[in-house]
Coordinates of all heavy atoms in Angstrom, one line a residue:
M1 N 2.8 3.0 15.0 CA 2.8 2.1 13.9 C 1.7 2.5 12.9 O 0.5 2.6 13.3 CB 2.6 0.7 14.4 CG 2.6 -0.4 13.3 SD 2.4 -2.0 13.9 CE 3.9 -2.3 14.8
A2 N 2.0 2.6 11.6 CA 1.1 3.0 10.6 C 0.3 1.7 10.2 O 0.8 0.7 10.0 CB 1.8 3.6 9.4
R3 N -1.0 1.9 10.0 CA -1.9 0.8 9.6 C -2.6 1.3 8.3 O -3.4 2.2 8.4 CB -2.9 0.4 10.7 CG -3.7 -0.8 10.3 CD -4.5 -1.2 11.6 NE -5.3 -2.4 11.3 CZ -4.9 -3.6 11.3 NH1 -3.7 -3.9 11.6 NH2 -5.8 -4.6 11.0
I4 N -2.3 0.7 7.2 CA -2.9 1.1 5.9 C -3.5 -0.1 5.3 O -2.8 -1.2 5.2 CB -1.8 1.8 5.0 CG1 -1.3 3.0 5.7 CG2 -2.4 2.1 3.7 CD1 -0.1 3.7 5.0
A5 N -4.7 0.0 4.8 CA -5.4 -1.1 4.1 C -5.4 -2.4 5.0 O -5.4 -3.5 4.5 CB -4.8 -1.4 2.8
G6 N -5.5 -2.2 6.3 CA -5.6 -3.4 7.2 C -4.3 -4.1 7.5 O -4.3 -5.1 8.0
V7 N -3.2 -3.5 7.1 CA -1.9 -4.1 7.2 C -1.0 -3.2 8.1 O -0.9 -2.0 7.8 CB -1.2 -4.3 5.9 CG1 0.2 -4.8 6.1 CG2 -2.0 -5.2 5.0
D8 N -0.5 -3.7 9.2 CA 0.5 -3.0 10.0 C 1.8 -2.9 9.3 O 2.4 -3.9 9.0 CB 0.7 -3.6 11.4 CG -0.6 -3.5 12.2 OD1 -1.3 -2.5 12.1 OD2 -0.8 -4.4 13.0
L9 N 2.3 -1.7 9.0 CA 3.5 -1.5 8.3 C 4.7 -1.7 9.3 O 4.6 -1.2 10.4 CB 3.6 -0.2 7.6 CG 2.5 0.1 6.5 CD1 2.8 1.5 5.9 CD2 2.5 -1.0 5.5
P10 N 5.8 -2.3 8.9 CA 6.9 -2.5 9.8 C 7.5 -1.1 10.1 O 7.8 -0.3 9.2 CB 7.9 -3.4 9.1 CG 7.5 -3.4 7.7 CD 6.0 -3.0 7.6
K11 N 7.7 -0.8 11.4 CA 8.0 0.6 11.8 C 9.5 0.9 11.5 O 9.8 2.1 11.3 CB 7.7 0.8 13.2 CG 8.4 -0.1 14.2 CD 8.0 0.2 15.6 CE 8.7 -0.8 16.5 NZ 8.2 -0.7 17.9
D12 N 10.4 0.0 11.4 CA 11.8 0.3 11.2 C 12.3 0.2 9.8 O 13.5 0.3 9.5 CB 12.6 -0.7 12.0 CG 12.4 -0.5 13.5 OD1 12.2 0.7 13.9 OD2 12.5 -1.5 14.3
K13 N 11.3 0.1 8.8 CA 11.7 0.0 7.4 C 11.3 1.3 6.8 O 10.4 2.0 7.2 CB 11.0 -1.1 6.7 CG 11.5 -2.5 7.2 CD 11.0 -3.6 6.3 CE 11.5 -4.9 6.8 NZ 12.7 -5.4 6.2
H14 N 12.0 1.7 5.7 CA 11.6 2.8 4.9 C 10.2 2.6 4.4 O 9.8 1.5 4.1 CB 12.6 3.1 3.7 CG 13.9 3.5 4.2 ND1 14.2 4.8 4.5 CD2 15.1 2.8 4.4 CE1 15.5 4.9 4.9 NE2 16.0 3.7 4.8
I15 N 9.5 3.7 4.2 CA 8.1 3.6 3.8 C 7.9 3.0 2.4 O 6.9 2.3 2.2 CB 7.3 5.0 3.9 CG1 5.8 4.8 3.8 CG2 7.9 6.0 3.0 CD1 5.2 4.0 4.8
V16 N 8.9 3.2 1.5 CA 8.8 2.7 0.2 C 8.9 1.1 0.3 O 8.2 0.5 -0.6 CB 9.9 3.3 -0.7 CG1 11.3 2.7 -0.4 CG2 9.6 3.0 -2.2
V17 N 9.5 0.6 1.2 CA 9.6 -0.9 1.4 C 8.4 -1.4 2.2 O 7.8 -2.4 1.9 CB 10.9 -1.3 2.1 CG1 11.0 -2.8 2.4 CG2 12.1 -0.9 1.2
G18 N 8.0 -0.6 3.2 CA 6.9 -1.0 4.1 C 5.6 -1.1 3.3 O 4.8 -2.0 3.6
L19 N 5.4 -0.2 2.3 CA 4.1 -0.3 1.5 C 4.0 -1.6 0.7 O 3.0 -2.0 0.4 CB 4.0 0.9 0.6 CG 3.7 2.2 1.3 CD1 3.8 3.4 0.2 CD2 2.3 2.2 1.9
Q20 N 5.2 -2.2 0.5 CA 5.2 -3.5 -0.3 C 4.6 -4.6 0.5 O 4.4 -5.7 -0.1 CB 6.6 -3.8 -0.8 CG 7.1 -2.7 -1.8 CD 8.5 -2.9 -2.3 OE1 8.9 -4.1 -2.4 NE2 9.2 -1.9 -2.5
Y21 N 4.4 -4.5 1.8 CA 3.8 -5.5 2.6 C 2.3 -5.6 2.3 O 1.7 -6.6 2.7 CB 4.0 -5.2 4.1 CG 5.4 -5.6 4.6 CD1 6.5 -5.0 4.1 CD2 5.6 -6.7 5.5 CE1 7.8 -5.4 4.5 CE2 6.8 -7.0 5.9 CZ 7.9 -6.4 5.4 OH 9.2 -6.8 5.9
I22 N 1.7 -4.6 1.6 CA 0.3 -4.6 1.2 C 0.2 -5.4 0.0 O 0.9 -5.2 -1.0 CB -0.2 -3.2 1.0 CG1 0.0 -2.4 2.3 CG2 -1.6 -3.2 0.6 CD1 -0.3 -0.9 2.1
Y23 N -0.7 -6.4 -0.1 CA -0.9 -7.3 -1.2 C -1.4 -6.4 -2.4 O -2.3 -5.6 -2.3 CB -2.0 -8.3 -0.9 CG -2.3 -9.3 -2.0 CD1 -1.4 -10.4 -2.2 CD2 -3.4 -9.1 -2.9 CE1 -1.7 -11.3 -3.2 CE2 -3.6 -10.0 -3.9 CZ -2.8 -11.1 -4.1 OH -3.0 -12.0 -5.1
G24 N -0.6 -6.5 -3.5 CA -0.9 -5.7 -4.7 C -0.1 -4.5 -4.9 O -0.2 -3.8 -5.9
I25 N 0.8 -4.2 -3.9 CA 1.7 -3.1 -4.1 C 3.1 -3.6 -4.2 O 3.6 -4.3 -3.3 CB 1.6 -2.1 -2.8 CG1 0.2 -1.6 -2.7 CG2 2.6 -1.0 -3.0 CD1 -0.3 -0.7 -3.7
G26 N 3.8 -3.3 -5.3 CA 5.2 -3.6 -5.5 C 6.1 -2.4 -5.5 O 5.6 -1.3 -5.1
P27 N 7.3 -2.6 -5.8 CA 8.3 -1.5 -5.8 C 7.9 -0.3 -6.6 O 7.9 0.9 -6.1 CB 9.6 -2.1 -6.2 CG 9.4 -3.5 -6.3 CD 7.9 -3.8 -6.3
T28 N 7.4 -0.5 -7.8 CA 7.1 0.6 -8.7 C 5.8 1.3 -8.2 O 5.8 2.6 -8.1 CB 6.9 0.1 -10.1 OG1 8.1 -0.6 -10.6 CG2 6.6 1.3 -11.1
A29 N 4.8 0.6 -7.8 CA 3.6 1.2 -7.4 C 3.8 1.9 -6.1 O 3.2 3.0 -5.8 CB 2.5 0.1 -7.1
S30 N 4.7 1.4 -5.2 CA 5.0 2.1 -4.0 C 5.6 3.4 -4.2 O 5.3 4.4 -3.6 CB 5.9 1.2 -3.2 OG 6.3 1.8 -2.0
K31 N 6.6 3.5 -5.1 CA 7.2 4.8 -5.5 C 6.3 5.8 -6.1 O 6.3 6.9 -5.8 CB 8.4 4.5 -6.4 CG 9.6 3.9 -5.7 CD 10.7 3.6 -6.6 CE 11.8 2.9 -5.9 NZ 13.0 2.6 -6.7
Q32 N 5.4 5.3 -7.0 CA 4.4 6.1 -7.6 C 3.4 6.7 -6.6 O 3.1 7.9 -6.7 CB 3.7 5.4 -8.7 CG 4.5 5.0 -9.9 CD 3.8 4.1 -10.9 OE1 2.7 3.6 -10.6 NE2 4.4 4.0 -12.1
M33 N 3.0 5.8 -5.7 CA 2.1 6.2 -4.7 C 2.6 7.3 -3.8 O 2.0 8.3 -3.5 CB 1.7 5.0 -3.8 CG 0.6 5.3 -2.8 SD 0.2 3.9 -1.8 CE 0.1 2.6 -3.0
L34 N 3.9 7.2 -3.4 CA 4.5 8.2 -2.5 C 4.8 9.5 -3.3 O 4.6 10.6 -2.7 CB 5.9 7.6 -2.0 CG 5.7 6.5 -1.0 CD1 7.1 5.9 -0.6 CD2 5.0 7.0 0.3
A35 N 5.1 9.4 -4.6 CA 5.2 10.6 -5.4 C 3.9 11.4 -5.5 O 3.9 12.6 -5.4 CB 5.7 10.2 -6.8
K36 N 2.8 10.6 -5.7 CA 1.5 11.3 -5.8 C 1.1 11.9 -4.4 O 0.4 13.0 -4.4 CB 0.4 10.3 -6.2 CG 0.4 9.9 -7.6 CD -0.7 8.9 -7.9 CE -0.6 8.4 -9.4 NZ -1.6 7.4 -9.7
A37 N 1.5 11.3 -3.3 CA 1.1 11.8 -2.0 C 2.1 12.9 -1.6 O 1.9 13.6 -0.6 CB 1.1 10.6 -1.0
G38 N 3.2 13.0 -2.3 CA 4.2 14.0 -1.9 C 5.0 13.7 -0.6 O 5.3 14.6 0.2
I39 N 5.3 12.4 -0.5 CA 6.1 12.0 0.7 C 7.4 11.4 0.3 O 7.5 10.7 -0.7 CB 5.2 10.9 1.4 CG1 3.9 11.5 1.9 CG2 6.0 10.3 2.6 CD1 2.9 10.5 2.4
D40 N 8.4 11.7 1.1 CA 9.8 11.3 0.8 C 9.9 9.8 1.0 O 9.4 9.3 2.0 CB 10.8 12.0 1.7 CG 12.2 11.7 1.5 OD1 12.6 11.4 0.3 OD2 13.0 11.7 2.4
E41 N 10.6 9.1 0.1 CA 10.8 7.7 0.1 C 11.7 7.2 1.2 O 11.6 6.1 1.7 CB 11.3 7.2 -1.2 CG 10.5 7.3 -2.4 CD 11.2 6.9 -3.7 OE1 12.3 6.3 -3.6 OE2 10.6 7.1 -4.7
N42 N 12.5 8.1 1.7 CA 13.5 7.7 2.7 C 13.0 7.8 4.2 O 13.7 7.5 5.1 CB 14.8 8.6 2.6 CG 15.5 8.3 1.3 OD1 15.5 7.2 0.8 ND2 15.9 9.3 0.6
L43 N 11.7 8.2 4.3 CA 11.2 8.3 5.7 C 10.9 6.9 6.2 O 10.6 6.0 5.4 CB 9.8 9.0 5.7 CG 9.8 10.5 5.8 CD1 8.4 11.0 5.7 CD2 10.4 10.9 7.1
K44 N 11.1 6.7 7.5 CA 10.8 5.4 8.1 C 9.3 5.4 8.4 O 8.7 6.5 8.6 CB 11.6 5.2 9.4 CG 13.1 5.2 9.2 CD 13.6 3.8 9.1 CE 15.1 3.8 8.9 NZ 15.7 2.6 9.1
A45 N 8.7 4.3 8.5 CA 7.2 4.2 8.8 C 6.9 4.8 10.1 O 5.8 5.4 10.3 CB 6.8 2.8 8.7
K46 N 7.8 4.7 11.1 CA 7.5 5.2 12.4 C 7.5 6.7 12.5 O 7.0 7.3 13.4 CB 8.5 4.6 13.5 CG 9.9 5.0 13.2 CD 10.9 4.4 14.2 CE 12.3 4.8 13.9 NZ 13.2 4.1 14.8
D47 N 8.2 7.4 11.5 CA 8.3 8.8 11.4 C 7.1 9.5 10.7 O 7.1 10.7 10.6 CB 9.6 9.2 10.8 CG 10.8 8.7 11.6 OD1 10.7 8.6 12.8 OD2 11.9 8.5 11.0
L48 N 6.2 8.7 10.1 CA 5.1 9.3 9.4 C 4.1 10.0 10.4 O 3.8 9.5 11.4 CB 4.3 8.2 8.6 CG 5.0 7.6 7.4 CD1 4.1 6.5 6.9 CD2 5.2 8.6 6.3
T49 N 3.6 11.1 9.9 CA 2.6 11.8 10.7 C 1.2 11.3 10.3 O 1.1 10.6 9.2 CB 2.6 13.3 10.4 OG1 2.3 13.6 9.1 CG2 4.0 13.9 10.8
E50 N 0.2 11.6 11.1 CA -1.1 11.1 10.7 C -1.6 11.7 9.4 O -2.3 11.1 8.6 CB -2.1 11.5 11.8 CG -2.1 10.5 13.0 CD -2.4 9.1 12.6 OE1 -3.4 8.9 11.8 OE2 -1.7 8.2 13.1
E51 N -1.2 12.9 9.1 CA -1.6 13.6 7.9 C -1.0 12.9 6.7 O -1.6 12.7 5.7 CB -1.1 15.1 8.0 CG -1.7 15.9 6.8 CD -0.7 16.1 5.7 OE1 0.5 16.1 6.0 OE2 -1.1 16.3 4.6
Q52 N 0.3 12.5 6.8 CA 0.9 11.7 5.7 C 0.3 10.4 5.5 O 0.1 9.9 4.4 CB 2.4 11.6 6.0 CG 3.2 12.9 6.0 CD 4.6 12.7 6.4 OE1 4.9 12.0 7.4 NE2 5.5 13.5 5.8
V53 N -0.1 9.7 6.6 CA -0.7 8.4 6.5 C -2.1 8.6 5.8 O -2.5 7.8 4.9 CB -0.9 7.8 7.9 CG1 -1.8 6.5 7.8 CG2 0.5 7.4 8.5
T54 N -2.8 9.6 6.1 CA -4.1 9.9 5.5 C -3.9 10.2 4.0 O -4.7 9.7 3.2 CB -4.7 11.1 6.2 OG1 -4.9 10.9 7.5 CG2 -6.1 11.4 5.6
R55 N -2.8 10.9 3.6 CA -2.6 11.1 2.2 C -2.3 9.8 1.4 O -2.8 9.6 0.3 CB -1.5 12.1 2.0 CG -1.8 13.5 2.3 CD -0.8 14.5 1.9 NE 0.5 14.2 2.2 CZ 1.5 15.0 2.5 NH1 1.3 16.3 2.4 NH2 2.7 14.6 2.7
I56 N -1.5 8.9 2.1 CA -1.2 7.7 1.4 C -2.5 6.8 1.3 O -2.8 6.2 0.2 CB -0.2 6.9 2.3 CG1 1.2 7.5 2.2 CG2 -0.1 5.4 1.8 CD1 2.2 7.0 3.1
R57 N -3.4 6.8 2.3 CA -4.6 6.1 2.3 C -5.5 6.6 1.1 O -6.2 5.9 0.4 CB -5.4 6.2 3.6 CG -4.9 5.3 4.6 CD -5.8 5.3 5.9 NE -5.1 4.6 7.0 CZ -4.9 5.1 8.2 NH1 -5.4 6.3 8.5 NH2 -4.3 4.4 9.1
N58 N -5.6 8.0 1.0 CA -6.4 8.6 0.0 C -5.9 8.2 -1.4 O -6.7 7.8 -2.3 CB -6.4 10.1 0.1 CG -7.2 10.5 1.3 OD1 -8.0 9.8 1.9 ND2 -6.9 11.7 1.8
V59 N -4.6 8.2 -1.7 CA -4.1 7.8 -3.0 C -4.4 6.3 -3.2 O -4.8 5.9 -4.3 CB -2.6 8.1 -3.0 CG1 -1.9 7.5 -4.3 CG2 -2.3 9.6 -3.0
L60 N -4.2 5.5 -2.2 CA -4.4 4.1 -2.3 C -5.9 3.8 -2.6 O -6.2 3.0 -3.5 CB -4.0 3.4 -1.0 CG -4.1 1.9 -0.9 CD1 -3.0 1.3 -1.8 CD2 -3.9 1.4 0.5
D61 N -6.8 4.5 -2.0 CA -8.3 4.2 -2.2 C -8.7 4.6 -3.6 O -9.5 3.9 -4.2 CB -9.1 5.0 -1.2 CG -9.0 4.4 0.2 OD1 -8.6 3.2 0.3 OD2 -9.3 5.1 1.2
V62 N -8.1 5.7 -4.1 CA -8.6 6.2 -5.4 C -7.9 5.5 -6.6 O -8.6 5.1 -7.5 CB -8.2 7.7 -5.5 CG1 -8.5 8.3 -6.9 CG2 -9.0 8.5 -4.5
D63 N -6.6 5.2 -6.5 CA -5.9 4.7 -7.7 C -5.6 3.2 -7.7 O -5.2 2.7 -8.7 CB -4.6 5.4 -7.8 CG -4.8 6.9 -8.0 OD1 -5.9 7.3 -8.6 OD2 -3.9 7.7 -7.7
Y64 N -5.7 2.5 -6.6 CA -5.2 1.1 -6.5 C -6.3 0.2 -6.0 O -7.1 0.5 -5.1 CB -4.0 1.0 -5.7 CG -2.8 1.8 -6.2 CD1 -2.6 3.1 -5.8 CD2 -1.9 1.2 -7.1 CE1 -1.5 3.9 -6.4 CE2 -0.9 2.0 -7.7 CZ -0.7 3.3 -7.3 OH 0.3 4.0 -7.8
K65 N -6.2 -1.1 -6.4 CA -7.1 -2.1 -5.9 C -6.1 -3.1 -5.2 O -5.2 -3.6 -5.7 CB -7.8 -2.9 -7.0 CG -8.8 -3.9 -6.5 CD -9.5 -4.6 -7.7 CE -10.4 -3.6 -8.3 NZ -11.3 -4.3 -9.3
V66 N -6.3 -3.2 -3.8 CA -5.4 -4.0 -3.0 C -6.1 -4.9 -2.0 O -7.4 -4.8 -1.9 CB -4.5 -3.0 -2.2 CG1 -3.5 -2.3 -3.1 CG2 -5.2 -2.1 -1.3
E67 N -5.4 -5.7 -1.4 CA -5.8 -6.6 -0.3 C -7.1 -7.4 -0.7 O -7.1 -8.1 -1.7 CB -6.0 -5.9 1.0 CG -4.7 -5.6 1.7 CD -3.9 -6.8 2.1 OE1 -4.5 -7.8 2.5 OE2 -2.7 -6.7 2.0
G68 N -8.2 -7.3 0.0 CA -9.3 -8.2 -0.2 C -10.0 -8.0 -1.5 O -10.3 -9.0 -2.2
D69 N -10.1 -6.8 -2.0 CA -10.7 -6.6 -3.4 C -9.9 -7.3 -4.5 O -10.4 -7.9 -5.4 CB -10.9 -5.1 -3.7 CG -11.9 -4.4 -2.7 OD1 -12.8 -5.2 -2.2 OD2 -11.8 -3.2 -2.6
L70 N -8.6 -7.1 -4.4 CA -7.7 -7.7 -5.4 C -7.7 -9.2 -5.3 O -7.7 -9.9 -6.3 CB -6.3 -7.1 -5.2 CG -5.3 -7.6 -6.3 CD1 -5.7 -7.2 -7.7 CD2 -3.9 -7.0 -6.0
R71 N -7.6 -9.7 -4.1 CA -7.6 -11.2 -3.9 C -8.9 -11.8 -4.5 O -8.9 -12.8 -5.1 CB -7.5 -11.6 -2.4 CG -6.1 -11.3 -1.9 CD -6.1 -11.7 -0.4 NE -5.1 -11.0 0.3 CZ -3.9 -11.6 0.6 NH1 -3.6 -12.8 0.1 NH2 -2.9 -10.9 1.2
R72 N -10.0 -11.1 -4.2 CA -11.3 -11.6 -4.7 C -11.4 -11.6 -6.2 O -11.9 -12.5 -6.8 CB -12.4 -10.7 -4.1 CG -13.8 -11.3 -4.2 CD -14.8 -10.4 -3.4 NE -14.4 -10.1 -2.1 CZ -14.1 -8.9 -1.6 NH1 -14.1 -7.8 -2.5 NH2 -13.7 -8.6 -0.4
E73 N -10.9 -10.5 -6.8 CA -10.9 -10.4 -8.3 C -10.0 -11.5 -8.9 O -10.4 -12.1 -9.9 CB -10.4 -9.0 -8.7 CG -10.4 -8.8 -10.2 CD -9.9 -7.5 -10.6 OE1 -10.3 -6.5 -9.9 OE2 -9.2 -7.4 -11.6
V74 N -8.8 -11.7 -8.3 CA -7.9 -12.8 -8.8 C -8.6 -14.1 -8.8 O -8.5 -14.9 -9.7 CB -6.6 -12.7 -8.1 CG1 -5.7 -14.0 -8.4 CG2 -5.8 -11.5 -8.4
Q75 N -9.2 -14.4 -7.6 CA -9.9 -15.7 -7.5 C -11.0 -15.9 -8.5 O -11.2 -16.9 -9.0 CB -10.4 -15.9 -6.0 CG -9.3 -16.2 -5.0 CD -8.5 -17.4 -5.3 OE1 -9.1 -18.5 -5.7 NE2 -7.2 -17.3 -5.3
F76 N -11.8 -14.8 -8.7 CA -12.9 -14.8 -9.6 C -12.3 -15.1 -11.0 O -12.9 -15.9 -11.8 CB -13.6 -13.5 -9.6 CG -14.7 -13.4 -10.6 CD1 -15.9 -14.2 -10.5 CD2 -14.5 -12.6 -11.7 CE1 -16.9 -14.1 -11.5 CE2 -15.5 -12.6 -12.7 CZ -16.7 -13.3 -12.6
N77 N -11.2 -14.4 -11.4 CA -10.7 -14.6 -12.7 C -10.2 -16.1 -12.9 O -10.3 -16.6 -14.0 CB -9.5 -13.6 -13.0 CG -10.0 -12.2 -13.2 OD1 -11.2 -12.0 -13.5 ND2 -9.2 -11.3 -12.9
I78 N -9.6 -16.6 -11.9 CA -9.1 -18.0 -12.0 C -10.3 -19.0 -12.2 O -10.3 -19.8 -13.0 CB -8.3 -18.4 -10.7 CG1 -7.0 -17.7 -10.7 CG2 -8.1 -19.9 -10.7 CD1 -6.2 -17.8 -9.4
K79 N -11.3 -18.8 -11.4 CA -12.5 -19.6 -11.5 C -13.2 -19.5 -12.9 O -13.6 -20.4 -13.5 CB -13.5 -19.3 -10.4 CG -13.1 -19.8 -9.1 CD -14.2 -19.4 -8.0 CE -13.7 -19.8 -6.6 NZ -14.6 -19.4 -5.6
R80 N -13.2 -18.2 -13.4 CA -13.8 -18.0 -14.7 C -13.0 -18.7 -15.8 O -13.6 -19.2 -16.7 CB -13.8 -16.5 -15.0 CG -14.4 -16.1 -16.3 CD -14.5 -14.6 -16.4 NE -13.2 -13.9 -16.2 CZ -12.2 -13.7 -17.1 NH1 -12.4 -14.2 -18.3 NH2 -11.1 -13.1 -16.7
L81 N -11.7 -18.7 -15.7 CA -10.9 -19.3 -16.8 C -10.8 -20.8 -16.7 O -10.6 -21.5 -17.7 CB -9.5 -18.7 -16.7 CG -9.4 -17.2 -17.1 CD1 -8.0 -16.7 -16.8 CD2 -9.7 -17.0 -18.5
V82 N -11.1 -21.4 -15.5 CA -11.1 -22.8 -15.4 C -12.4 -23.3 -16.0 O -12.5 -24.2 -16.8 CB -11.1 -23.2 -13.9 CG1 -11.4 -24.7 -13.7 CG2 -9.7 -22.9 -13.3

C-alpha cells in the first residue's frame, strides 16, 4: 500500500484517482503530477514500485502544497479575512 503525504492510497484504484484522496490534489493536478513523474495513469496503486512512489513524492514536495500546510494556510486566510 502506497503512503504519500501521510495518506494511505486505496490499493485497488488507479493511481490518478488514488492521488485525489490527498487534500489539495484534484483530477487535473493528479494528471499533471503523474506526467511530471513519468508514470502511467492506468496503473493501480498496488502495482507501484518504491521508485515510482519516490518520484511522486518528489514532485509533490517541490510543486504542490498539500495536507497540513494547505489546511493551515486556508485557515489562516479565513481568519485574516474575518
Side-chain angles (χ1 to χ4, degrees):
M1 178 178 294
R3 185 170 179 86
I4 299 174
V7 176
D8 290 327
L9 301 182
K11 60 183 177 182
D12 293 328
K13 294 193 183 262
H14 291 279
I15 190 62
V16 72
V17 175
L19 286 174
Q20 295 176 36
Y21 280 66
I22 300 172
Y23 183 80
I25 302 293
T28 304
S30 177
K31 289 179 183 181
Q32 291 172 349
M33 186 183 313
L34 290 172
K36 286 181 185 177
I39 298 171
D40 182 30
E41 295 177 6
N42 295 320
L43 273 178
K44 300 263 182 167
K46 65 182 176 184
D47 298 332
L48 288 175
T49 63
E50 279 301 316
E51 190 261 331
Q52 290 172 324
V53 172
T54 303
R55 287 193 311 213
I56 292 172
R57 282 188 189 128
N58 290 339
V59 170
L60 186 69
D61 289 341
V62 172
D63 297 334
Y64 297 92
K65 186 178 288 192
V66 294
E67 284 298 322
D69 293 337
L70 182 60
R71 290 179 199 266
R72 198 172 309 110
E73 182 178 319
V74 168
Q75 287 301 316
F76 175 74
N77 288 339
I78 290 170
K79 288 179 184 177
R80 179 178 52 84
L81 292 171
V82 168

